[in-house]
Amino acid sequence: MKNQQITNLRHLGILSRESQYILPDGSPSTFSRDESLEKLPLPKLEDTLERYYKNLLPFGDENELKNSRKIIEEFKNGVGKELHKMLEEKAAKEKNWVRKFWEDYAYLEYRTPLAPFSVQIQPIMLQSIGIEESKKDCLKNFARIVHYFGVYFQILREEKLRPTTNPDGSVVFSSNQFKRLYNTSRIPGEIKDEIFNCFKTKTEGECPSTIVVIGKGRIFYFDIIQNNKLLSPAELLHTFSIIYGKIDNESENYSIPLLTCDERTGWFKNRKHLIEISNENEEFLKVIESSMMVFILDDREPRDISEVCAHLLDGNYQSKWIDKSVSLTVFRNGKYGCVGEHSSYDGPVSMSYGGFILESFTEDPEPNWNENLKYKILPKEIKFKIDEKIKSEIARVEKVVEGFTDSVTVYCQEYRNYGKNFMKLQKIHPDCFVQMALQLAYFKIHQKLAPTYETATMRSYYHGRTETVRSCSIEVKEWLEKMYDDKASNTEKVKLFKTAANSQFKLMNDARSGKGFDRHLFAMWCIARENNIQIPQLYSDPLYFKSGGGGNFYLSTSTLGYSICNGCVAPMLTDGYGVFYTMLDNFVWIIITAFRESKVTSSKKFYEAFESAMNEISQLLEATNSKL
């Protein structure tokens, strides 16, 4: 069975744990390469504006485009030149000119509640590797997952984690974001939050190995490492059984974790008041915020992966400490998933630890649950001192989060008709192929184009994060218009499909090599704001918003690679979609999100349109015997 599981896992695109995650002896340590990475390049102003104008072409009529061209020229020769010069001065002093802007303005000044609007989630799909998910084994598998999180923590501390690379291994990416996986919390501020991080490598010193477990509003903690030894799964099972017994007998009437799910300024005020009530409360907050990570015990029993993802995004707010960089939720029926605080790191970090956990389950034998326990840890419980004001605030926030519960629909599915093997046979990059299918799917439902965001990694640069690829290009528009033109031949449709896919490939390569335009435009907006310069007309041009500017993307998409690990976030807009996918040899795993309140979107209907689009494209290619 074990050998078959390993075969299945490798078939899913996941290699062995040793080869995928552990650095060979004598290799440069995990974080040693980061300081030598190339500084983030700053594009020329005129190049950025030309790329931006080209992106407007699918969305504007002749008059709109003429007006936008006029605004762009005035910007280029006027205030834009001034802002770009100021940005050049910043870039001359800093190796990454957008990093702080992005962290502050895209994340930390965000005042809306983090869940469900900006957290990232990932299901841990044990059934994908042949492990039964059941009530019977719920706590045992939970103990194993926590143990593997501890192993991953030790690997990072020892700087033995193999840095991630591009698919062929030719480019080694920055590992900086991995420092924010553990011992990290987002601390609320009145106007802007901050990221608190106390993770240290072994060469840097000690850091907490405390884990926090929350269930029904009750909070427990204990140290996962005793006398330099990581607790075994059996030892963890012992402690978790104690905690489960306690919360089953009594819940917390006034849940402090609930307060973290409020809008950020409200949580800032309540956190401040908790500290004012007692010094002990301040110490409790330090324990939680500096802890290795949080584990959440959830009584719900999601039926499938779609419900797992939906429950992770919203609901059970009484037990979410939403500020933590990573929290693992265990559901009563043996399903699991993680919630990540997005300001700290991006999806590839989640995919890395998710893959490590799956591989560990596959490669390691079943633990000896009857072993003689060296450590029988009794967890400590955190009991905040509260007053009438905090009780009143808890009651208020309970009503606030009621409006978010079950607010995001999630549809997870495997498209099984073909995968990346067929796409490569057609000589089309798999990601470009799927992006074209997404464009066609949206067009099928809404009969219009979708301003689209696709994530491009910038981690080949110093402390790089992401750039935007706007997938809905003029070439996509020309292809979609011909797809339902009765006068157009299949050969013509295939030719335009090829052109659109190749255009997407170029856009992605340009973005990854520092030739995108969205972060450049964003940074100039930040420069204007910070220097009390009137925000230029470019940013209020109707076509700026119509094409996706200011985060107005109706399709928010990202590929998470070529393994079974996947995740998602909520859509950017009420009437938008979030679409996240991985491409395996013979199928595509896709997760689609939509807001329940929208009158025009449906995650399930979008998948059905995507399935139809994928079928239609393959039939078109096969009908013309096309090898693009």
Side-chain angles (χ1 to χ4, degrees):
M1 180 64 178
K2 180 181 174 183
N3 290 336
Q4 183 61 46
Q5 289 174 349
I6 293 173
T7 300
N8 291 342
L9 198 58
R10 287 174 176 162
H11 174 69
L12 293 171
I14 305 176
L15 302 175
S16 72
R17 184 172 47 184
E18 184 76 19
S19 64
Q20 186 79 344
Y21 292 97
I22 311 300
L23 282 168
D25 291 341
S27 300
S29 60
T30 302
F31 303 109
S32 63
R33 301 170 173 84
D34 280 28
E35 291 303 315
S36 63
L37 288 175
E38 184 181 345
K39 67 186 295 186
L40 185 69
L42 178 63
K44 293 180 180 179
L45 178 61
E46 55 269 28
D47 291 345
T48 284
L49 294 176
E50 280 305 307
R51 294 186 188 106
Y52 165 64
Y53 178 75
K54 185 177 180 183
N55 177 254
L56 301 182
L57 297 179
F59 301 100
D61 60 27
E62 184 178 349
N63 290 332
E64 289 173 319
L65 289 168
K66 183 178 179 181
N67 181 59
S68 292
R69 173 56 84 183
K70 178 175 177 290
I71 291 171
I72 289 170
E73 290 301 315
E74 290 174 351
F75 180 82
K76 181 172 69 174
N77 298 313
V79 66
K81 182 184 291 186
E82 178 187 355
L83 295 173
H84 180 70
K85 182 178 179 181
M86 295 169 75
L87 190 57
E88 284 181 320
E89 292 170 356
K90 180 179 175 66
K93 301 172 186 174
E94 302 174 13
K95 292 185 71 174
N96 189 316
W97 45 267
V98 78
R99 179 181 61 170
K100 191 172 187 308
F101 283 154
W102 187 249
E103 197 166 276
D104 286 353
Y105 295 124
Y107 290 113
L108 299 180
E109 286 198 3
Y110 195 84
R111 298 291 88 194
T112 305
L114 300 184
F117 301 108
S118 69
V119 293
Q120 53 185 341
I121 65 98
Q122 178 191 14
I124 303 295
M125 300 183 292
L126 296 184
Q127 82 274 19
S128 69
I129 54 169
I131 304 294
E132 182 183 3
E133 297 175 343
S134 66
K135 284 185 179 181
K136 174 174 61 75
D137 294 322
C138 175
L139 268 187
K140 289 180 178 179
N141 286 337
F142 176 43
R144 292 185 72 181
I145 292 173
V146 176
H147 176 78
Y148 293 134
F149 265 116
V151 173
Y152 197 87
F153 173 75
Q154 291 179 313
I155 293 169
L156 269 180
R157 288 257 296 144
E158 294 167 2
E159 297 188 76
K160 289 290 188 181
L161 184 71
R162 186 188 293 268
T164 53
T165 68
N166 65 338
D168 66 9
S170 60
V171 179
V172 178
F173 294 137
S174 168
S175 297
N176 180 63
Q177 289 184 35
F178 285 86
K179 289 185 175 181
R180 288 177 166 181
L181 175 60
Y182 294 107
N183 307 105
T184 304
S185 283
R186 177 167 168 164
I187 307 299
E190 187 170 16
I191 298 172
K192 185 183 78 172
D193 296 353
E194 63 179 73
I195 296 173
F196 168 72
N197 173 258
C198 61
F199 172 81
K200 291 181 180 180
T201 65
K202 282 194 172 180
T203 57
E204 293 170 336
E206 296 300 318
C207 70
S209 53
T210 306
I211 65 170
V212 173
V213 183
I214 309 176
K216 294 183 179 178
R218 297 179 68 179
I219 308 169
F220 301 87
Y221 69 99
F222 64 96
D223 202 320
I224 197 174
I225 295 176
Q226 300 288 329
N227 296 321
N228 295 316
K229 180 181 179 296
L230 179 66
L231 294 181
S232 70
E235 290 166 335
L236 288 166
L237 177 62
H238 170 80
T239 305
F240 291 144
S241 297
I242 293 172
I243 294 174
Y244 254 103
K246 288 179 179 292
I247 68 168
D248 279 346
N249 291 325
E250 184 183 354
S251 62
E252 175 57 64
N253 291 329
Y254 296 100
S255 169
I256 296 302
L258 180 72
L259 296 177
T260 72
C261 302
D262 193 12
E263 57 88 18
R264 301 306 293 170
T265 302
W267 169 220
F268 161 77
K269 292 176 181 177
N270 285 322
R271 181 180 180 276
K272 182 180 179 183
H273 186 66
L274 279 170
I275 293 172
E276 291 168 349
I277 291 173
S278 80
N279 291 333
E280 190 177 23
N281 283 351
E282 184 173 15
E283 291 305 310
F284 285 152
L285 286 167
K286 286 179 181 178
V287 168
I288 297 168
E289 291 164 354
S290 67
S291 66
M292 189 181 110
M293 63 182 293
V294 166
F295 298 90
I296 298 166
L297 310 181
D298 194 320
D299 278 346
R300 292 174 297 178
E301 298 186 9
R303 293 170 296 181
D304 52 28
I305 298 301
S306 297
E307 283 196 0
V308 168
C309 293
H311 289 348
L312 292 171
L313 275 173
D314 52 37
N316 192 29
Y317 291 100
Q318 288 74 17
S319 296
K320 279 181 163 72
W321 199 278
I322 205 65
D323 294 352
K324 285 299 291 183
S325 56
V326 61
S327 305
L328 175 87
T329 294
V330 51
F331 296 99
R332 280 284 185 175
N333 59 347
K335 297 186 183 298
Y336 312 88
C338 292
V339 178
E341 198 290 293
H342 211 335
S343 67
S344 295
Y345 56 86
D346 297 318
V349 174
S350 302
M351 298 306 104
S352 177
Y353 70 66
F356 180 84
I357 289 168
L358 293 182
E359 289 178 14
S360 297
F361 263 87
T362 302
E363 296 184 20
D364 289 348
E366 179 83 9
N368 176 12
W369 300 109
N370 297 314
E371 70 177 57
N372 291 323
L373 303 183
K374 184 175 181 181
Y375 298 103
K376 295 182 179 181
I377 305 299
L378 293 175
K380 298 176 183 178
E381 184 167 5
I382 289 175
K383 286 187 173 290
F384 285 95
K385 292 182 180 179
I386 64 175
D387 59 12
E388 292 304 316
K389 175 177 171 57
I390 290 296
K391 290 179 182 179
S392 174
E393 281 296 285
I394 289 171
R396 178 187 65 79
V397 178
E398 279 182 337
K399 293 180 180 179
V400 170
V401 300
E402 281 178 7
F404 302 144
T405 302
D406 200 31
S407 61
V408 181
T409 67
V410 185
Y411 197 75
C412 308
Q413 190 60 263
E414 297 174 9
Y415 174 79
R416 281 282 179 179
N417 288 353
Y418 59 92
K420 67 177 181 179
N421 285 349
F422 174 79
M423 301 172 196
K424 288 182 175 181
L425 183 64
Q426 306 303 318
K427 298 182 180 178
I428 302 170
H429 190 283
D431 179 57
C432 300
F433 196 111
V434 174
Q435 282 289 320
M436 295 304 102
L438 296 177
Q439 295 297 317
L440 182 55
Y442 187 92
F443 193 78
K444 279 173 170 286
I445 296 175
H446 300 286
Q447 299 299 303
K448 61 180 180 181
L449 300 174
T452 305
Y453 174 107
E454 184 186 8
T455 305
T457 185
M458 300 299 287
R459 289 178 299 125
S460 59
Y461 299 103
Y462 180 78
H463 288 189
R465 290 195 67 159
T466 61
E467 175 61 275
T468 300
V469 174
R470 298 197 187 189
S471 303
C472 189
S473 62
I474 185 62
E475 291 83 2
V476 166
K477 179 183 180 181
E478 291 167 353
W479 166 57
L480 292 177
E481 287 175 343
K482 287 295 182 182
M483 281 298 287
Y484 300 108
D485 182 350
D486 293 337
K487 296 180 181 179
S489 67
N490 285 347
T491 300
E492 187 177 5
K493 292 175 184 178
V494 167
K495 182 179 179 181
L496 289 171
F497 174 76
K498 172 186 176 180
T499 301
N502 286 341
S503 172
Q504 173 69 12
F505 187 73
K506 184 177 186 306
L507 287 172
M508 178 60 76
N509 283 344
D510 282 348
R512 288 174 174 170
S513 61
K515 298 175 184 176
F517 64 83
D518 268 286
R519 297 297 180 270
H520 190 186
L521 293 179
F522 168 75
M524 288 189 287
W525 178 89
C526 294
I527 289 280
R529 185 182 180 206
E530 290 198 345
N531 290 275
N532 295 315
I533 297 172
Q534 183 177 356
I535 301 300
Q537 187 183 3
L538 179 103
Y539 299 96
S540 58
D541 178 7
L543 268 190
Y544 175 76
F545 295 103
K546 193 175 178 181
S547 63
N552 287 278
F553 293 104
Y554 283 84
L555 278 180
S556 172
T557 74
S558 185
T559 178
L560 295 169
Y562 302 98
S563 80
I564 196 63
C565 297
N566 207 337
C568 66
V569 301
M572 289 187 178
L573 302 172
T574 300
D575 291 334
Y577 300 94
V579 185
F580 310 88
Y581 52 93
T582 60
M583 299 151 293
L584 288 302
D585 287 348
N586 297 306
F587 66 96
V588 175
W589 178 256
I590 187 166
I591 302 180
I592 301 161
T593 61
F595 283 111
R596 193 175 298 279
E597 68 176 286
S598 175
K599 305 297 184 185
V600 298
T601 62
S602 161
S603 55
K604 184 175 186 294
K605 287 182 179 179
F606 191 89
Y607 173 75
E608 291 169 350
F610 172 75
E611 183 177 50
S612 174
M614 289 285 282
N615 292 342
E616 193 170 337
I617 291 170
S618 65
Q619 290 164 7
L620 182 66
L621 292 169
E622 289 170 338
T624 57
N625 195 27
S626 174
K627 299 292 183 286
L628 299 182

